Amino acid sequence: MVGFDADDTLWRSQDYFDAAQEEFERILGAWTDLERSGARDRLYQVESGNIGVFGYGVKGMVLSMLEAAIELSEARISAADLERILGLGKELLRHPVELLPGIAEAVEAIAREHPVVMITKGDLFHQEAKVRDCGMADLFGRIEIVSEKDPATYRRLLDEFGLPASRFLMIGNSLRSDVLPVLELGGWGIHVPYHSTWVHERAAPVAEGERRFRQVNDAAELPSAVAEVVAAARQAD
């Protein structure tokens, strides 16, 4: 079975978040010295602290932006600018789904040979909308929207699939969420780096020589990489 991440693996996502953060900083810059206050680092600290409360996704990001803006401006920020920050979230939620180049063809090719599933995390309502609008949902035997992607979550899903980890391959742009937890369980991982990664998703590289890990440059390389993993898995049996 082959699992696919969604955001920044199937379609663009982080680019929109990066643009929203830049606009947030322009708004906040009228109320505080961004460099002296360490605004970017402080926003990440607030976001990280709020993940356990709000989860991942646009809504948690915007609520954290509002909290950080009030704190960093010492509660001086205007209601009008708070409304502008709230508007950033609405814009993010309205963005159309833009598939990454070649990914539809790659998923179709892999789905002809193997059962495929989508495993994504984030705001349930937003993720459901993106899945609905992506035009690829019919290719996946199951679509799982989870609150976290860690070994416990993958173990639960593999139990539901009735599948040992050694027969599961996860493809995604995040080492932290898509690759390392699956490798820890004894599964396989293919990393497809995206040009921009949220700092929370950054992780130490996979140990050199890890036989259950592959990295590719783009979607066009995925079918051959999956075939290579399948061959290696059969040899390991």
Side-chain angles (χ1 to χ4, degrees):
M1 179 179 287
V2 179
F4 282 88
D5 170 52
D7 292 339
D8 298 318
T9 298
L10 301 179
W11 52 69
R12 291 178 62 202
S13 177
Q14 188 59 40
D15 296 330
Y16 300 129
F17 282 83
D18 290 345
Q21 177 155 330
E22 289 173 5
E23 182 60 24
F24 167 77
E25 291 175 2
R26 280 192 285 270
I27 295 168
L28 187 60
W31 301 95
T32 187
D33 184 307
L34 297 176
E35 184 174 351
R36 187 172 60 190
S37 65
R40 180 163 293 197
D41 289 341
R42 183 54 190 150
L43 174 59
Y44 173 62
Q45 291 169 2
V46 173
E47 284 184 283
S48 297
N50 283 338
I51 286 174
V53 180
F54 302 137
Y56 294 93
V58 173
K59 295 171 187 175
M61 177 186 183
V62 172
L63 288 169
S64 295
M65 282 181 168
L66 294 171
E67 180 180 338
I70 293 168
E71 175 191 318
L72 291 168
S73 70
E74 298 179 334
R76 293 180 299 109
I77 190 168
S78 68
D81 278 345
L82 290 176
E83 186 176 22
R84 290 172 65 193
I85 293 171
L86 183 61
L88 296 176
K90 292 181 178 179
E91 289 177 12
L92 282 170
L93 292 170
R94 294 181 183 131
H95 270 298
V97 175
E98 182 181 343
L99 295 180
L100 294 177
I103 193 64
E105 295 81 1
V107 175
E108 288 172 0
I110 293 166
R112 284 194 291 268
E113 303 293 331
H114 309 282
V116 296
V117 297
M118 184 193 302
I119 304 174
T120 182
K121 70 181 180 185
D123 177 78
L124 178 62
F125 183 83
H126 192 203
Q127 292 300 102
E128 285 181 337
K130 288 190 281 188
V131 169
R132 181 191 65 232
D133 296 340
C134 74
M136 300 174 61
D138 290 345
L139 294 173
F140 297 95
R142 282 184 61 167
I143 296 172
E144 298 287 340
I145 301 172
V146 299
S147 58
E148 185 59 272
K149 292 165 80 173
D150 55 15
T153 298
Y154 284 109
R155 186 180 297 110
R156 174 181 62 79
L157 291 175
L158 289 171
D159 287 344
E160 292 180 10
F161 300 155
L163 193 72
S166 61
R167 291 297 183 183
F168 181 69
L169 164 63
M170 186 67 187
I171 296 172
N173 70 295
S174 170
L175 288 174
R176 180 184 182 275
S177 292
D178 303 319
V179 173
L180 293 175
V182 175
L183 293 181
E184 181 178 326
L185 295 177
W188 302 73
I190 296 179
H191 184 218
V192 192
Y194 194 65
H195 66 85
S196 179
T197 302
W198 183 32
V199 61
H200 188 75
E201 293 298 329
R202 296 172 191 167
V206 176
E208 187 174 350
E210 169 56 68
R211 67 180 183 84
R212 290 177 287 112
F213 172 74
R214 304 290 186 277
Q215 181 168 303
V216 301
N217 295 316
D218 54 47
E221 299 178 33
L222 283 173
S224 59
V226 169
E228 182 182 328
V229 165
V230 170
R234 287 173 177 165
Q235 285 183 344
D237 285 349

